[in-house]
Amino acid sequence: MKLQSIVEEIIEETTNEDLRNWFKSKWVNIGKKVGGKHPPCGTSGEKSGYAKCVPAKKAASMSKKEKESATRRKRAAQNKAGRGGVNSPGQGKKPINVSTHTGGKKSGTGKGS
């Protein structure tokens, strides 16, 4: 019984630490740039386009092409699910999540291989 409580405590501590780190990471919208930087994720009342959000550290390591691809796939998925546009019936529902990377094989050259 004592071993089980120790394991549960370790799992809870690890989970809390991961969640703490997730909240500490600054999330940005890679779908647009404002003043040469990606704006923070979230809405400020104006809903234009779709936010493809990633941690700022991840955004810094992505190429322009990778960011465009991820944003394009997110927008396509939103439209396919009938959640495109400001006045669509899908507003306020759970967002459609799309992988940041395509998952294709790397060529073995360049960044990320």
Side-chain angles (χ1 to χ4, degrees), residues 9-27:
E9 186 177 315
I10 291 170
I11 289 172
E12 183 177 332
E13 188 175 307
T14 304
T15 305
N16 287 339
E17 184 65 29
D18 289 344
L19 189 58
R20 191 174 298 115
N21 289 339
W22 184 83
F23 274 104
K24 282 183 180 179
S25 61
K26 181 183 172 191
W27 286 70

Side-chain angles (χ1 to χ4, degrees), residues 11-57:
I11 289 172
E12 183 177 332
E13 188 175 307
T14 304
T15 305
N16 287 339
E17 184 65 29
D18 289 344
L19 189 58
R20 191 174 298 115
N21 289 339
W22 184 83
F23 274 104
K24 282 183 180 179
S25 61
K26 181 183 172 191
W27 286 70
V28 294
N29 180 0
I30 61 172
K32 60 182 173 180
K33 280 195 169 185
V34 177
K37 295 183 178 183
H38 295 293
C41 228
T43 59
S44 60
E46 294 179 23
K47 296 187 184 215
S48 57
Y50 306 95
K52 174 60 180 159
C53 299
V54 297
K57 189 175 181 180

Side-chain angles (χ1 to χ4, degrees), residues 54-113:
V54 297
K57 189 175 181 180
K58 177 74 173 172
S61 70
M62 293 174 72
S63 70
K64 184 177 178 181
K65 216 172 180 182
E66 287 173 323
K67 292 174 189 177
E68 289 170 352
S69 172
T71 303
R72 186 171 44 250
R73 285 182 286 110
K74 167 78 180 249
R75 290 178 181 169
Q78 290 282 116
N79 287 333
K80 185 177 181 182
R83 300 198 194 164
V86 177
N87 297 321
S88 76
Q91 288 295 320
K93 292 187 178 177
K94 182 180 174 192
I96 303 293
N97 292 324
V98 177
S99 174
T100 302
H101 298 287
T102 58
K105 289 190 174 187
K106 301 281 183 181
S107 64
T109 59
K111 193 161 85 169
S113 58

